[in-house]
Amino acid sequence: MTAFAPDSLVLNRKLPLWYQVSQSLRASILGRTPDASLRLPTEEQLAEHYGVSVLTMRQALKELEGEGLISRHRRRGTFIEPGALRSAPVRLLGSVDAIVAQQSGDRTTILGHGRTAVSGELLEHFPDTPEVVTYRRLRHDRESGEPTNWVENAVLPEFAGAVDLADLERWPMTKVLRDVVGVRISRITDTVEARLADPETAELLQVPLLSPILHYTGVTYDEDGRVVDVARIRYRGDRFSFTVTVDAH
């Protein structure tokens, strides 16, 4: 059995540390390999890994325990719940790792990829780019096999050449661009709106035509202010909800 190894994290001092750590660890838990150990490292080991205090780590673990992702046992340690729900409400608080956590955990099937002319909604984001590389993926719940959402990513061609399809079967595009391709992401803007399922979405998500869905658009910018990726995700309306948390400090 492979030991569980959490991803690294660059902390943003403008956001609560416990929140950032919980989202990063959540993404690691949901994106773990099937043979990875269910036992987490100790609080002290995790705190050292993330560079935070044990108190901060404890608060992050309490958040994940509340979501039902982990269970904590005195003297035995902390364990990942094998049947943990992967459709818990997503809390958006301006963190790239929150976006990664939002999109992690489901089994992913590549539907196709290739160069696409920029048109329609994409013109707003790529006004000076004639073509982008589009990746289409369908995500299923790991336990039930039920389709949960499908996503289209439109990526600048200069970065798409370094994107490995095998990585996209395991990780969200945001993580691949940042941690594998090496894009220095400065910000991501999120838009969530209610729409009705079109024929393609209804077929892929196995829902009735014109049934409610959640349509998420995430626009990723690099440090030069360029749009490098536009993600358009259609979530089943009966499986997902979104929560926005406003930090008062």
Side-chain angles (χ1 to χ4, degrees), residues 153 155 159-160 163 172-185 220 228-229:
N153 287 92
V155 180
F159 297 115
V163 173
M173 180 65 79
T174 305
K175 180 176 176 62
V176 173
L177 289 175
R178 184 188 66 177
D179 298 344
V180 179
V181 179
V183 176
R184 299 179 67 87
I185 296 174
T220 300
V228 298
D229 170 44

Side-chain angles (χ1 to χ4, degrees), residues 34-48:
D35 61 340
S37 172
L38 293 177
R39 185 182 187 124
L40 292 182
T42 65
E43 288 182 352
E44 292 77 11
Q45 290 171 329
L46 287 170
E48 182 180 359

Side-chain angles (χ1 to χ4, degrees), residues 83-172:
L85 294 176
R86 291 174 169 80
S87 58
V90 177
R91 296 179 179 174
L92 301 179
L93 194 63
S95 165
V96 172
D97 286 282
I99 303 300
V100 172
Q102 170 191 325
Q103 300 170 3
S104 297
D106 289 336
R107 177 170 54 84
T108 301
T109 301
I110 305 293
L111 299 176
H113 74 288
R115 286 183 173 264
T116 306
V118 173
S119 61
E121 296 177 355
L122 293 179
L123 280 171
E124 175 187 353
H125 306 294
F126 299 105
D128 302 317
T129 304
E131 287 186 330
V132 291
V133 179
T134 301
Y135 300 83
R136 293 159 48 86
R137 290 167 293 156
L138 178 64
R139 297 187 179 118
H140 304 260
D141 182 88
R142 286 186 186 274
E143 305 299 330
S144 68
E146 183 181 47
T148 58
N149 65 88
W150 78 278
V151 55
E152 290 179 294
N153 287 92
V155 180
L156 281 180
E158 65 185 87
F159 297 115
V163 173
D164 190 324
L165 293 182
D167 288 336
L168 287 180
E169 290 181 339
R170 179 181 177 189
W171 295 319

Side-chain angles (χ1 to χ4, degrees), residues 210-226:
L210 301 181
S211 62
I213 64 166
L214 290 174
H215 189 283
Y216 164 90
T217 302
V219 183
T220 300
Y221 298 81
D222 67 8
E223 60 183 359
D224 296 322
R226 294 183 303 169

